[in-house]
Amino acid sequence: MSKLRHPLVDLDSSEFLDNFRRSIDEFDSARLPHEPLSRESLRKLVDLGVYLPAIPREYGGRESHQEMCEVIEVMSERNLPMGMYTMIVTVLFLRNVAACGDDALKAEVFEDFAKNPVIGGLAFTEPGSGSNLARMQTTYHDDGDTYRITGTKHWQAFSEQADWWIICAKHPERKEFAYFAHKRSDGGFVTTEVYDSLGLKNLGYGLNTLDLRVPRHYRLAKAREGLGDAAEILCASRFSKAAMASGFLRRLSREALRQVSTRKIGEGTLHDIGYVRYKVDRIKQNYVVCNALYRHLMLAEDYNTDMQDSMFASLATKVLASEFMLESALDYQQLCGGEGYRKGAPDNIAAYALLDARVYTVFDGTNDLLCQHLAHLFLRQFQQSGLRSPLEFIGRFGYLEDAFLHLTDINLSHIADAPSQDKVVILGRILSRVYGISTLQKSSRSAAPSARLAVDDADYPKAIAVLKNEIVGLVNEYELAGRLVGAPAVSGALRAHTAMIPFDSKVGMRQCPARPRTSRFRSSR
């Protein structure tokens, strides 16, 4: 256990976060070089306590779920790759050591991270296996006092830079997966190629070969069958996209408005054009949605607990947040015109914003795959419920129930009728939007956790209208998919009055009336 107490540990939360927020100007994406972070720069972040919220109190940290969220969100507003950087080290590496590490491993790791500019990464993905982790070829062998791990991993952030790793490997004879910490200085983790990725240049991706031995106490105490523990680990990562999207889109909303308000067009500005104002407002409403997703993460979930039962919400969060990040980055670049296509432009960050945002729909599982998983979770529980109406089930499903009143004029009766694989993906996208409406509804009824996260009450019905309109379009796409593959069309997929709720409407800004319930469906099991 660390004997030196970090001076920031005793600050109250607001003072700690305010100090962090005030001190990271040099990490802004308009200033920081788009390359792997130098140890000198990382030392400044460590001195500001960037890792402390993820370190348990008994090991000299602050141990705070909300502060972990806030630090990622604040970093993402300044610099989206640095938000991802912070998330990987805290949510993926330190969180799992804290939850499942041996006491001796915890003492070694947390003392190192509390005092030194070190980096922790996650080594799961392999060439040839893609998103199917079950096909990984990296294996572990019991070798007396150690485990020997051999294989190949790639697309690891910090491939050349990380000092510590959590490595997933499988038993060569049994369908059993295990997770090991590894200290790079112990050898055997070699980067053979550095990838030239389009975005997230600060993270340094590459190809790595493994032939290493780790002490027995470096094995994490994870015991789910198959890849259940990997799924739980990725739940936390997928939830973190809400924090990154909230910070990133707050900045894009602010900068898009500044761009169009200062760009001269004749005797006026770009902001005088109606469609431009619409695009600026779309970016703002995308932020309001992601702000609600983030508030759910910060207030209703907890990184310091097992997150498996929140699988549905984590999948919906990742899908919706990442798609809105990419959509908004495209709109922001369009509003910046030719200068938005220029790296290092003096008055905008549009080029890098788009390059950095585009990968989020792919990493942590492509959105198409996650939508399938999301839909299957919903369909399985719908079938188990014994209910006949998908809308009625939505009204009883814990993560979706607050969206019920907004969906009564959309015919969803056919979405659960043994959909084909193509329709399952579209259903997942529909469900992500329903989840977004539900979180907006909850946020509209509660105070913001801080003034920085407050939004205008008038923006909630606008953001709900955006999501509802997307659901209408996706229901049409759902029907179109059936036509394209030769299935009979479903008549009456939409009712005539489903286009949009008026922006000044207060429909749904009240609680749903009480409905008889047999149970509250929340768990993804």
Side-chain angles (χ1 to χ4, degrees), residues 409-473:
D409 59 350
I410 302 176
N411 185 2
L412 300 174
S413 61
H414 60 292
I415 64 172
D417 295 339
S420 56
Q421 190 271 340
D422 50 341
K423 289 185 175 182
V424 164
V425 175
I426 299 169
L427 174 57
R429 296 190 70 213
I430 291 171
L431 292 170
S432 72
R433 273 65 179 171
V434 175
Y435 175 73
I437 292 176
S438 188
T439 58
L440 284 164
Q441 186 70 42
K442 289 183 175 72
S443 292
S444 73
R445 299 196 301 261
S446 61
S450 67
R452 189 174 59 87
L453 296 177
V455 299
D456 192 321
D457 286 345
D459 282 320
Y460 283 114
K462 294 181 183 181
I464 289 172
V466 166
L467 289 176
K468 182 173 179 181
N469 198 56
E470 292 212 353
I471 292 170
V472 169

Side-chain angles (χ1 to χ4, degrees), residues 474-522:
L474 286 166
V475 171
N476 280 332
E477 185 179 354
Y478 187 94
E479 183 177 351
L480 175 63
R483 293 177 185 166
L484 292 178
V485 298
V490 178
S491 61
L494 298 182
R495 296 174 186 165
H497 56 294
T498 58
M500 263 203 181
I501 59 171
F503 281 169
D504 60 351
S505 170
K506 294 299 181 181
V507 171
M509 306 314 293
R510 58 186 183 275
Q511 293 194 20
C512 296
R515 296 182 299 279
R517 299 176 183 178
T518 55
S519 62
R520 179 182 177 89
F521 298 92
R522 184 179 191 274

Side-chain angles (χ1 to χ4, degrees), residues 1-4 55 59 105-116 118:
M1 188 178 297
S2 177
K3 296 180 180 179
L4 297 176
I55 297 176
Y59 293 96
L105 174 64
K106 290 180 184 179
E108 184 178 0
V109 167
F110 294 138
E111 182 169 4
D112 201 8
F113 277 79
K115 298 187 299 182
N116 301 313
V118 291

Side-chain angles (χ1 to χ4, degrees), residues 152-432:
T152 306
K153 300 287 186 180
H154 79 155
W155 281 115
Q156 279 70 60
F158 323 125
S159 283
E160 284 194 302
Q161 293 80 34
D163 305 276
W164 287 88
W165 293 98
I166 289 177
I167 302 166
C168 182
K170 72 177 182 181
H171 193 279
E173 299 172 358
R174 303 187 300 270
K175 193 174 181 180
E176 175 183 292
F177 297 84
Y179 307 81
F180 305 88
H182 173 62
K183 194 172 185 178
R184 191 182 196 117
S185 60
D186 290 339
F189 194 105
V190 180
T191 302
T192 58
E193 182 181 354
V194 176
Y195 293 164
D196 187 12
S197 58
L198 284 175
L200 300 183
K201 295 285 191 179
N202 301 95
L203 274 65
Y205 293 98
L207 175 69
N208 308 288
T209 59
L210 286 62
D211 188 352
L212 53 92
R213 285 177 169 81
V214 300
R216 296 189 70 83
H217 71 277
Y218 274 27
R219 180 171 178 172
L220 302 185
K222 292 183 177 292
R224 285 188 174 93
E225 293 183 0
L227 285 162
D229 288 306
E232 193 279 334
I233 289 171
L234 293 175
C235 270
S237 175
R238 290 162 181 160
F239 263 132
S240 73
K241 304 308 181 287
M244 284 181 260
S246 176
F248 178 64
L249 294 187
R250 183 189 304 108
R251 177 170 187 167
L252 259 56
S253 178
R254 181 175 66 243
E255 295 206 359
L257 179 59
R258 177 182 59 80
Q259 277 286 326
V260 302
S261 299
T262 57
R263 175 76 179 272
K264 295 295 184 180
I265 300 292
E267 295 183 357
T269 66
L270 201 58
H271 191 259
D272 295 328
I273 300 173
Y275 189 72
V276 168
R277 292 196 301 275
Y278 163 69
K279 281 295 185 179
V280 170
D281 202 53
R282 274 302 305 265
I283 296 173
K284 181 179 180 182
Q285 301 318 317
N286 287 354
Y287 163 66
V288 173
V289 172
C290 291
N291 172 283
L293 298 177
Y294 174 54
R295 285 166 64 170
H296 172 88
L297 167 64
M298 188 161 60
L299 301 176
E301 306 292 344
D302 189 349
Y303 283 137
N304 295 316
T305 64
D306 189 295
M307 305 191 85
Q308 176 68 22
D309 284 351
S310 296
M311 176 73 73
F312 183 92
S314 73
L315 293 168
T317 294
K318 195 270 187 181
V319 169
L320 187 54
S322 62
E323 291 187 0
F324 275 12
M325 289 168 72
L326 180 55
E327 175 187 297
S328 298
L330 284 164
D331 284 342
Y332 172 53
Q333 185 179 63
Q334 191 80 2
L335 291 170
C336 292
E339 286 294 291
Y341 198 66
R342 174 183 169 191
K343 291 182 179 179
D347 65 346
N348 72 81
I349 60 166
Y352 281 115
L354 180 55
L355 289 173
D356 292 334
R358 65 189 301 175
V359 76
Y360 279 76
T361 62
V362 177
F363 278 10
D364 278 354
T366 67
N367 279 12
D368 288 349
L369 289 175
L370 299 190
C371 283
Q372 289 185 70
H373 192 183
L374 187 64
H376 285 313
L377 290 175
F378 176 84
L379 292 171
R380 184 186 312 136
Q381 294 194 35
F382 171 61
Q383 291 162 3
Q384 293 172 352
S385 73
L387 298 172
R388 307 184 77 176
S389 164
L391 181 59
E392 182 181 359
F393 179 68
I394 286 172
R396 302 186 182 196
F397 189 88
Y399 279 123
L400 304 180
E401 61 183 352
D402 287 274
F404 176 83
L405 285 180
H406 298 284
L407 306 176
T408 55
D409 59 350
I410 302 176
N411 185 2
L412 300 174
S413 61
H414 60 292
I415 64 172
D417 295 339
S420 56
Q421 190 271 340
D422 50 341
K423 289 185 175 182
V424 164
V425 175
I426 299 169
L427 174 57
R429 296 190 70 213
I430 291 171
L431 292 170
S432 72

Side-chain angles (χ1 to χ4, degrees), residues 62-75:
R62 295 183 61 87
E63 192 177 345
S64 170
H65 163 75
Q66 291 194 15
E67 288 178 5
M68 288 173 71
C69 294
E70 289 273 60
V71 168
I72 294 168
E73 206 256 8
V74 168
M75 285 301 302

